[in-house]
Amino acid sequence: KGGGKPYGFLVRKLMETTPDFETALSKINATSFLAPQYFILAGAKPFEGAVISMDRFSAQNLSATPPVRRFSDSAGPWFLLQTNDDANKFPLDHRRPMTATILAMHGQQDVSINFVWDIVHNFPLKNHMSVFTWVAVPSTNYSQAVLRGEDPVLEEENTVALHDAPETEEVQLLQRFLRRYGAKGRRHVISQEGLRLLET
């Protein structure tokens, strides 16, 4: 009765026929969908990244729904993080606060394909309910999806092994997070360079 549309075919057609990021963002945000959902958009140009929190039948219809979040060339966080709850509300599980803490220990200069896979394909973002994980970079046409139980094909990089370092306050905070929420069967290795989770 409300005239809402299922997202699948509509969004696929929009992605195939819309030539630029801003038009795609506007069209999705103006569409009436059957169910509440999140859309994470990435374009090929600098600062083309956004998260739309969509209410049923209308974008940001409810007063407590987050507005469209997007990158900006002004000062602000270098990443957008979206899990299965509204970003302006108290998190429903540990994934968002833990991952935000991990990302805050890094800078944009640390980002690579392998870095992104290390974040999205490990605890806390990946869990026993993860069906598949997909990473894409529109500017380079990189795209790879892996199913549960599969590992991504990583790019060759000149990497430096993590070494133990004097613990900062941030590292101690992460250690407490991991002791409380740590994934069973994983060994946690934390240093000032960041967080790595290794299978034991």
Side-chain angles (χ1 to χ4, degrees), residues 119-140:
I119 295 295
V120 302
H121 200 57
N122 282 308
F123 178 85
L125 287 184
K126 182 184 176 185
N127 59 46
H128 68 282
M129 293 188 293
S130 298
V131 176
F132 71 93
T133 306
W134 176 52
V135 172
V137 183
S139 62
T140 63

Side-chain angles (χ1 to χ4, degrees), residues 106 114 118 156-164 189 191 193-196:
H106 293 275
N114 291 359
D118 196 39
E156 290 188 16
E157 289 184 340
N158 293 323
T159 57
V160 179
L162 290 176
H163 299 287
D164 290 336
V189 181
S191 75
E193 291 89 345
L195 168 71
R196 292 296 159 90

Side-chain angles (χ1 to χ4, degrees), residues 126-198:
K126 182 184 176 185
N127 59 46
H128 68 282
M129 293 188 293
S130 298
V131 176
F132 71 93
T133 306
W134 176 52
V135 172
V137 183
S139 62
T140 63
N141 290 325
Y142 174 89
S143 177
Q144 185 180 176
V146 295
L147 299 175
R148 179 191 295 146
E150 296 180 342
D151 289 320
V153 177
L154 300 178
E155 295 187 340
E156 290 188 16
E157 289 184 340
N158 293 323
T159 57
V160 179
L162 290 176
H163 299 287
D164 290 336
E167 290 193 352
T168 63
E169 187 176 336
E170 291 84 5
V171 170
Q172 291 172 359
L173 175 65
L174 271 174
Q175 290 281 20
R176 288 198 297 274
F177 264 130
L178 292 170
R179 278 195 293 272
R180 182 167 182 181
Y181 299 110
K184 191 174 181 180
R186 290 187 181 273
R187 177 166 55 92
H188 310 296
V189 181
I190 299 181
S191 75
Q192 284 180 313
E193 291 89 345
L195 168 71
R196 292 296 159 90
L197 301 163
L198 306 174

